[in-house]
Structures are given as structure tokens and as C-alpha cells.
Amino acid sequence: MEQQELGGLERKRRRRKCLVISGVVLLLLVAVVLVLALVLTLGRSSGGIKSTFLERCQKFEDLNCQNLWDVFQQAYINRDPCNVPGDAYDPFIKALSFKPKCNRMMFWSKTKDLVHSFTQKRDCFVTVEDVPLGAILNDLTWCGKQGSNETFTTGCPGWSECDNNPVRSYWNRASAAFADAACGDVSAMLSGSIMTPFSPGSVFESIEVKRLRSPNVKRMNVVLVIEENAVTNCTNASLDNLQKALAVGISYGCKEVTKAQINKCSSDLEIACGACW
């Protein structure tokens, strides 16, 4: 075969190779675009958060869930996601018409998994996450953007990134509303595995305790969870601070209860609520 023919075949092979590579690159670009489109779609209200909101809301009676979604969105859409104060949620909180559960309201700090495992299995107490205030939005992330009327679930500021982000502001406001509605004897499940069970800066310390009022609230019962690594007990100085922070007229008590005892009461329905600790 002549040299000219060999050169022609080589050029054809190079062209085919280039076409194959170009095709692969094009397919990769299309895949990237599709993934980005999917992420953006899921990050908007037409994605997961609205359906989750409505599904959870519909588990509660007498709630106009579509109206609640519309009112909820008005708190943060078309706003800087670091400039959503707690009172922006006031219309939503009011629309929820939260009904207090006298003598059954449970606050918590640093015991999230344990307290919710208990309240989900036993109808003895309710936390803010067990009532519409918290149950509808628990563990969800959302925010808006200036110039947009959509809800996003990606690209939102984290809890500590700015004080007035939509999620942090909501939970501060919802916690305040839960405490405002407290009545009768209230309880608080705190951790005995940290040096300051009444933890400075926690929602319980900075918001909830300060909203409890006598004569609506008569007593605060602290359930101090003790494990093998317990570093404190009911004589802890921070718990003295808790007692002092309570409004005049609210009495106080504290019991040290093992995690095993709480788990046993969670699973044994024959144990009366009053005998759990």
C-alpha cells in the first residue's frame, strides 16, 4: 500500500477517535446538566418540602393544610435568608391554633433522641415536636431568596451561620409559643452526661424557661438522665440557676433517672406514666 493511502487511513482513524471522544464528552455534559436540573428542582417548593409539609399536616385534624402552607411561605419567600426574624412566623403560629396539653408538656435539652423515643411510644408527655408546631417541620430545611417567590431546600444558611435564618428563627418562635401555652405541671428531660444540664445558650435556657408564667404553670419537674458516664446530679450548680430562673410561684423538683429506666417505661405499657420516675 502506498504511503499516501496509509496516511489517509490514519487520518480517518483519528477522526473517528475524535468523534467518539466528543460523543462521550457530550454525554457527560448532558448528564451533568440533568443532575443540576434535578437538584434545583428538588430544592424548590415543588419538590420534597411542600409534599412533606402537607402530608404531615394532614395527620392532624381541623387544619387547613394548603392555607397553612401559603401562610408559612409568606414568612421567608422573597427575603434575604439571613434576615427572617422570629415574628415573621406569627401569622403561621396563630393559624395553627395550638391547644395546650396541661400537665403533659415536656421540654428537653441535649436529650433529643431519648425524649422523642419516649413520647412516640407513650402518651404520657408531648414535646414541641409532637404537636403541629413542631411535627410538621421537624428536621426540614428551607429558605427563600430575594427576588424569588419559591421555597428552596439547598443553599440555605446553616443553624449558626446567621441568627435570623429561616429555620433557626422558626424554632425559636415555635419554642416560645410552646412555652407560652404551658400549663399545670411541666417537665424537662435534661442530660446528666454534661457539666451544665441547664445549658447556657440552649433554647430551653434562653427562651423556654423565661416564658413560663405562674399561675398557669405550677411546677417544673426535671428528669435528669443518668448514664454510666454521668458527670453530674440534681445538686448541680446549673440546676440551681434553673430554679432561680423560674418565675415566682413555680415550684421545682428534680429526679435522677437512668436511661435504662426510661427505655423500660417506653416499651412497657403496663407501667403507669406516673411510675416512670
Side-chain angles (χ1 to χ4, degrees):
M1 184 177 290
E2 295 182 1
Q3 187 68 30
Q4 185 176 2
E5 291 179 357
L6 289 172
L9 289 173
E10 182 63 27
R11 285 193 295 274
K12 288 180 180 179
R13 281 196 293 268
R14 284 200 296 267
R15 281 199 296 270
R16 283 198 296 268
K17 186 176 180 180
C18 288
L19 287 172
V20 170
I21 293 173
S22 298
V24 171
V25 170
L26 182 60
L27 287 173
L28 288 174
L29 287 173
V30 170
V32 169
V33 170
L34 289 174
V35 169
L36 288 174
L38 179 62
V39 169
L40 289 173
T41 299
L42 291 175
R44 294 175 178 173
S45 61
S46 58
I49 186 170
K50 182 178 181 180
S51 60
T52 300
F53 181 104
L54 295 176
E55 181 182 352
R56 292 178 178 181
C57 177
Q58 288 160 3
K59 294 178 181 179
F60 297 93
E61 297 180 358
D62 302 323
L63 292 180
N64 185 332
C65 295
Q66 182 59 55
N67 179 67
L68 281 172
W69 170 255
D70 294 338
V71 175
F72 170 67
Q73 281 197 110
Q74 295 308 310
Y76 59 84
I77 59 172
N78 196 20
R79 299 185 70 157
D80 181 337
C82 279
N83 188 26
V84 181
D87 59 13
Y89 291 101
D90 284 355
F92 176 67
I93 300 291
K94 184 178 180 180
L96 276 173
S97 301
F98 169 63
K99 298 177 181 178
K101 308 283 186 181
C102 294
N103 301 311
R104 295 176 55 210
M105 297 175 75
M106 172 75 79
F107 300 91
W108 59 271
S109 182
K110 314 300 182 185
T111 56
K112 180 179 181 180
D113 292 340
L114 181 63
V115 72
H116 290 144
S117 174
F118 180 78
T119 60
Q120 288 166 11
K121 294 175 183 176
R122 297 295 305 269
D123 193 29
C124 302
F125 299 95
V126 292
T127 66
V128 67
E129 292 84 5
D130 298 309
V131 300
L133 272 174
I136 295 173
L137 292 160
N138 193 28
D139 292 329
L140 297 182
T141 297
W142 66 90
C143 65
K145 294 181 181 179
Q146 286 184 311
S148 172
N149 288 324
E150 295 188 80
T151 293
F152 298 88
T153 57
T154 58
C156 299
W159 181 271
S160 301
E161 191 171 330
C162 49
D163 289 342
N164 284 333
N165 70 70
V167 175
R168 182 171 183 167
S169 290
Y170 177 74
W171 284 108
N172 287 345
R173 183 65 189 88
S175 298
F178 188 72
D180 288 342
C183 49
D185 292 357
V186 300
S187 302
M189 189 175 289
L190 308 180
S191 174
S193 299
I194 58 177
M195 293 301 297
T196 53
F198 185 49
S199 182
S202 66
V203 172
F204 180 59
E205 185 271 344
S206 62
I207 295 175
E208 292 170 331
V209 168
K210 295 177 180 179
R211 310 284 293 216
L212 302 178
R213 290 289 177 265
S214 175
N216 290 342
V217 177
K218 302 183 182 303
R219 182 176 176 83
M220 164 64 73
N221 294 313
V222 169
V223 180
L224 188 65
V225 182
I226 303 298
E227 301 184 64
E228 290 183 3
N229 62 341
V231 295
T232 190
N233 55 38
C234 282
T235 64
N236 182 270
S238 76
L239 296 178
D240 289 337
N241 294 334
L242 168 56
Q243 189 171 358
K244 293 173 184 176
L246 293 171
V248 174
I250 301 177
S251 62
Y252 169 86
C254 177
K255 285 188 177 181
E256 299 162 15
V257 185
T258 64
K259 183 178 180 180
Q261 184 177 342
I262 294 172
N263 285 331
K264 181 180 179 181
C265 191
S266 296
S267 56
D268 190 347
L269 300 182
E270 294 185 3
I271 301 176
C273 290
C276 285
W277 43 74

